[in-house]
Amino acid sequence: MITKTIEKNIEKMRNIGIAAHIDAGKTTTTERILYYTGKEYKMGEVHEGTATMDWMEEEQKRGITITAAATRCFWQDCVINIIDTPGHVDFTAEVERSLRVLDGVICVFCGVGGVEAQSETVWRQADKYRVPRICFVNKMDRVGSDFLKVVAEIKEKLCFEAIPIQLPLGAEQDFCGVIDLVRMRAYEYAEKEEDKSLGSKFIDIEIPDKYLAQARLQREKMIESLASHIDWLMEKYINEEEITEDDIKRAIREGTISVKLTPALCGAAFKNKGIQPLLDAVCDYLPSPADIPAVEGVDPDKEVKITRKALVEEPLSALAFKITSDKHGDLNYIRIYSGKLTQGQRVFNSRKDKVELVSRIYRMHANEREQVEEASAGDIVAVVGLKNTITGDTLCTKHEPIVLEQMKFPETVISMAIEPKTQADKEKLILTLSKLVKEDPTFGAHTDSETGQLIISGMGELHLEVLKNRMLSEYNVDANVGAPRVAYRETIARKVEIEEKFIQQTGGHGQYGHVVLLLEPFKDSQPVVFEDKITGGAIPKQYIRSVEHGIMETARTGVSGGYPIINIKATLIHGSFHPVDSSDLAFYTAASRALRSGVEEAGSVLLEPIMKLEVAVPEMYMGDVIGNLNGRRATITELDFRSGVRLIRGLVPLAEMFGYATVLRSLTQGRGSYSMEPFEYRPAPAEVYSRVA
């Protein structure tokens, strides 16, 4: 039984996520973890729709994870908070916001598939937030599985030092356990028909003779790799001093926490093998909140950087990273970085400059809630009562404010029209859309100014289909939905200088705004970059803000084709004002008109979203699949071969990929699969421009 003392010991806490490519076995691994830690009394199965963490109706129907689900369990003397994340790229925002608040992650790889398309995306997201990770090579019981080959792929494709600390005991259908290279022992699991314990019991044995030579060789390689990253171990290694089991564990932990290396383990979650050693590795090698650097933020009053350590004595700082809506109201998931939060406490939303009331605090287990009186540094909890807090907002105390770094999400690439079937559904639809937009930062809804249609947008066909089905099943909204449409963008072809005056005379004060803008193509992390080069006070500072506002708003709504403008830089180089007639509105309007005139003069270029594509097909169908992709304007960049399957990688316009899942099934008799993720925007060909402009 875990005592309250251990629960409150921050050094015994682990905040981890489980992330991977779709179908690598994340949710199955999580289910086994919950079973072996005693959190669940029976194992849920994804294919049966009984997985605890896939609690939504859409998840159970489709057999995939759609929303990140949180839970809490205990192993050894550690408290483990787990977030199970989706693998499909359409729900990548769920992975992004989870990794933002986690201290460690288990990256699951398929023993056959190895490093797949979404594995790379997840890895990049973990790199972005410098999250320490453990690699778990799953499905070692499958034909064609190869642990060391997958580890080599991690090193090659992800450019990261993966160090095997285990070896499989047996191969493919004969896989029966793991060899621990740290202890030089083996864990053997009973075969399924004999195993009434469902993998909860295993035998700790000597390494069988036929595996001993390879185990010794790999252990030596493991120590060499560790020594190349850990200075004190290198000294011991060079001086030929004894390197103990504790030395190896300490070195692995140091290397993992400093994100210099990742330990690689193996197992077969579906066959209940290798999960307990994985849990041991989580406790031994992944950091506690006390091990990670103090969180950085900005003092909103003084605009200087400040840090907060993971201590209860520090002032409160917490980040809201996820919102779910239900009949009881909004549930805000927060990570507490410092200080303490109690039920009934008033907190300060430093991004919105508003005071909020925390009416209740919950620990979550998928969709089940356990009410608690308080939570402190290191905890991940859900709170009820926040009216104005959304994803990315910081909660703190008003007298010691801090703003933590916000999360950035990719732009939507697909949209479709939606309209209520009856007038009674109209209000319900608008209310439902506002809830879904608040929940999902990659979902958008707006009214088209020209057609008056309500447009919803998202990250892919599956994303919009899932949200549409949720509206129908969860919120009982009956609506007609149009065909998916691509989210095109516009930019300019060349640099132009444009002058615009807005002058209006009325009975009283008039309006006067005069700007000279330099517009040029410019690629940056921001879609539109504004620069002020006004000298000598030609335009007062307060009006320059209105100029910027006018440019940004007009760029968002579009100019010639009504598509948002991206990849441009607008420089304010000159202008003039009138001491009486000038106003914010006048300069806003002048800037808006200048941008419109400038885009027309520079020549508008239509941009279409290009997707990174990976198709896996048996060799016999490769010719047909490539021929079909060529007809979809795809550029094939790489052909690879893995475990009897051909991998076709390339770039393809999103507009050409609607309904591709059905076509691929038809071409490969249901044996092909594919994944896509947004890559970049590129100029569309003339025939596309004439069709959509």
Side-chain angles (χ1 to χ4, degrees):
M1 182 72 183
I2 301 293
T3 65
K4 288 284 178 190
T5 312
I6 290 174
E7 277 199 52
K8 291 189 176 182
N9 184 350
I10 198 166
E11 291 179 357
K12 295 296 181 183
M13 187 182 288
R14 302 289 182 268
N15 292 320
I16 67 163
I18 300 187
H21 184 87
I22 191 167
D23 283 342
K26 297 176 304 302
T27 303
T28 303
T29 302
T30 310
E31 291 298 316
R32 283 3 181 217
I33 287 173
L34 295 180
Y35 180 75
Y36 298 133
T37 56
K39 185 73 179 181
E40 288 290 318
Y41 68 91
K42 67 179 276 199
M43 289 180 189
E45 300 293 359
V46 175
H47 61 279
E48 293 173 1
T50 56
T52 306
M53 304 303 275
D54 287 351
W55 57 271
M56 283 172 60
E57 187 184 331
E58 281 294 306
E59 293 177 315
Q60 292 167 353
K61 236 175 6 186
R62 295 172 187 274
I64 62 170
T65 303
I66 290 168
T67 183
T71 188
R72 177 182 177 88
C73 59
F74 304 97
W75 186 253
Q76 292 179 7
D77 56 353
C78 286
V79 181
I80 306 175
N81 292 315
I82 303 174
I83 297 181
D84 177 33
T85 65
H88 200 287
V89 71
D90 282 18
F91 310 104
T92 192
E94 291 288 322
V95 186
E96 180 85 17
R97 58 185 175 186
S98 299
L99 287 174
R100 170 67 178 84
V101 298
L102 291 169
D103 303 328
V105 64
I106 299 171
C107 289
V108 182
F109 297 88
C110 172
V112 181
V115 177
E116 298 169 276
Q118 187 64 3
S119 312
E120 295 181 37
T121 306
V122 168
W123 200 270
R124 284 198 303 272
Q125 288 170 313
D127 277 341
K128 181 170 153 187
Y129 298 115
R130 282 190 61 77
V131 183
R133 61 215 83 154
I134 284 175
C135 295
F136 179 63
V137 181
N138 191 25
K139 304 189 179 183
M140 291 306 302
D141 59 312
R142 295 264 298 272
V143 175
S145 59
D146 189 330
F147 175 61
L148 292 177
K149 186 182 172 190
V150 175
V151 172
E153 270 191 36
I154 293 168
K155 291 180 182 178
E156 181 194 336
K157 293 186 177 178
L158 304 178
C159 304
F160 205 86
E161 183 68 49
I163 298 177
I165 63 169
Q166 289 181 348
L167 288 176
L169 189 64
E172 299 179 345
Q173 66 267 26
D174 296 324
F175 176 72
C176 60
V178 297
I179 296 167
D180 184 345
L181 298 177
V182 178
R183 293 182 61 235
M184 284 302 279
R185 298 282 295 175
Y187 303 117
E188 187 176 41
Y189 292 79
E191 289 307 309
K192 195 173 181 181
E193 51 271 17
E194 311 161 10
D195 184 16
K196 306 298 181 193
S197 69
L198 295 172
S200 59
K201 291 180 183 170
F202 53 89
I203 316 164
D204 185 339
I205 60 170
E206 294 279 349
I207 298 171
D209 290 343
K210 66 175 179 178
Y211 299 108
L212 199 53
Q214 190 195 18
R216 283 174 178 155
L217 175 67
Q218 289 298 329
R219 188 176 199 268
E220 188 61 30
K221 284 185 177 179
M222 173 186 75
I223 293 170
E224 276 181 28
S225 299
L226 287 170
S228 67
H229 292 283
I230 309 297
D231 293 342
W232 61 264
L233 190 68
M234 177 60 86
E235 272 186 48
K236 276 196 157 193
Y237 186 72
I238 290 170
N239 296 330
E240 297 184 358
E241 293 177 34
E242 185 195 353
I243 294 174
T244 64
E245 182 186 320
D246 287 342
D247 289 334
I248 295 171
K249 282 189 172 182
R250 182 183 152 204
I252 296 170
R253 182 173 176 77
E254 276 185 31
T256 305
I257 292 174
S258 59
V259 201
K260 290 177 182 174
L261 56 89
T262 174
L265 298 89
C266 59
F270 184 60
K271 294 292 177 70
N272 313 319
K273 295 178 174 75
I275 301 301
Q276 295 92 334
L278 175 64
L279 280 163
D280 290 341
V282 166
C283 298
D284 291 341
Y285 307 131
L286 287 180
S288 73
D291 294 317
I292 60 170
V295 69
E296 281 191 358
V298 175
D299 185 321
D301 300 328
K302 300 172 186 172
E303 294 190 354
V304 293
K305 274 192 177 180
I306 50 176
T307 59
R308 296 273 166 87
K309 293 177 184 172
L311 299 171
V312 178
E313 300 78 33
E314 288 266 300
L316 174 69
S317 65
L319 185 74
F321 67 94
K322 177 179 165 70
I323 298 176
T324 59
S325 300
D326 63 18
K327 58 188 177 185
H328 303 297
D330 288 345
L331 195 65
N332 287 70
Y333 286 74
I334 64 168
R335 161 69 192 263
I336 303 173
Y337 285 98
S338 63
K340 191 167 73 170
L341 188 69
T342 54
Q343 202 164 270
Q345 182 178 342
R346 292 197 176 273
V347 294
F348 182 59
N349 182 331
S350 55
R351 201 173 290 281
K352 298 279 172 56
D353 199 23
K354 289 184 181 293
V355 174
E356 300 264 44
L357 175 68
V358 176
S359 55
R360 285 186 299 284
I361 303 172
Y362 295 107
R363 295 204 189 284
M364 299 301 295
H365 178 50
N367 61 331
E368 294 173 13
R369 308 176 182 188
E370 177 199 340
Q371 192 168 341
V372 293
E373 294 293 317
E374 63 176 40
S376 54
D379 272 328
I380 293 176
V381 291
V383 298
V384 172
L386 309 181
K387 304 292 183 193
N388 303 294
T389 300
I390 60 169
T391 298
D393 284 355
T394 303
L395 301 176
C396 54
T397 55
K398 191 163 187 179
H399 59 283
E400 290 179 286
I402 185 173
V403 178
L404 301 176
E405 184 191 355
Q406 233 180 341
M407 289 168 271
K408 291 191 177 104
F409 298 102
E411 281 198 42
T412 57
V413 294
I414 188 172
S415 61
M416 61 188 184
I418 185 167
E419 59 180 33
K421 284 190 176 177
T422 65
Q423 192 61 32
D425 279 319
K426 189 172 184 178
E427 279 184 32
K428 202 193 286 186
L429 175 63
I430 291 168
L431 184 65
T432 299
L433 288 176
S434 69
K435 284 183 178 180
L436 292 174
V437 166
K438 195 190 272 191
E439 274 188 33
D440 187 345
T442 56
F443 176 65
H446 71 278
T447 303
D448 190 300
S449 55
E450 290 183 7
T451 63
Q453 280 184 309
L454 193 57
I455 306 294
I456 58 173
S457 52
M459 297 303 297
E461 281 183 279
L462 179 62
H463 188 199
L464 290 185
E465 192 184 331
V466 164
L467 288 166
K468 178 188 77 177
N469 290 347
R470 282 188 64 196
M471 286 181 218
L472 194 64
S473 60
E474 284 179 39
Y475 297 99
N476 301 314
V477 175
D478 213 1
N480 294 316
V481 179
R485 302 185 309 181
V486 173
Y488 291 102
R489 298 288 184 264
E490 287 183 290
T491 191
I492 56 175
R494 60 188 178 87
K495 185 191 287 192
V496 291
E497 188 177 303
I498 200 85
E499 182 175 11
E500 188 69 44
K501 286 184 180 179
F502 176 64
I503 303 173
Q504 201 173 63
Q505 291 300 328
T506 55
H509 287 310
Q511 296 284 358
Y512 181 91
H514 171 216
V515 297
V516 181
L517 293 180
L518 179 69
L519 300 179
E520 55 190 316
F522 188 79
K523 250 192 176 179
D524 191 63
S525 56
Q526 301 297 320
V528 180
V529 175
F530 174 76
E531 189 176 353
D532 165 27
K533 282 198 175 175
I534 290 293
T535 55
I539 300 176
K541 286 285 182 193
Q542 70 263 32
Y543 298 141
I544 290 171
R545 283 197 297 272
S546 300
V547 171
E548 182 179 3
H549 192 47
I551 289 166
M552 296 299 179
E553 286 291 309
T554 307
R556 267 195 289 273
T557 54
V559 175
S560 53
Y563 301 112
I565 296 166
I566 64 169
N567 298 347
I568 68 162
K569 182 178 182 180
T571 307
L572 180 60
I573 55 174
H574 193 54
S576 62
F577 76 104
H578 188 281
V580 176
D581 291 346
S582 283
S583 67
D584 287 327
L585 176 63
F587 276 98
Y588 177 96
T589 309
S592 177
R593 288 182 176 181
L595 183 64
R596 290 177 184 278
S597 305
V599 169
E600 285 172 19
E601 190 176 315
S604 173
V605 177
L606 184 74
L607 300 173
E608 62 178 349
I610 303 295
M611 309 297 283
K612 192 192 281 188
L613 173 74
E614 182 176 285
V615 187
V617 293
E619 177 92 47
M620 67 182 83
Y621 305 113
M622 191 173 75
D624 291 340
V625 170
I626 289 178
N628 182 268
L629 287 173
N630 287 334
R632 294 171 183 268
R633 295 194 283 129
T635 304
I636 307 299
T637 57
E638 186 185 357
L639 293 175
D640 200 357
F641 187 78
R642 185 193 289 144
S643 305
V645 173
R646 277 288 190 175
L647 294 180
I648 305 163
R649 296 192 182 96
L651 302 173
V652 63
L654 174 64
E656 305 292 341
M657 295 302 285
F658 292 138
Y660 184 65
T662 307
V663 172
L664 184 64
R665 274 198 296 270
S666 171
L667 287 173
T668 62
Q669 296 182 8
R671 293 169 65 191
S673 63
Y674 80 103
S675 63
M676 287 194 308
E677 63 178 283
F679 181 62
E680 65 177 2
Y681 274 90
R682 284 184 183 173
E687 65 268 18
V688 175
Y689 187 85
S690 60
R691 192 167 69 236
V692 303

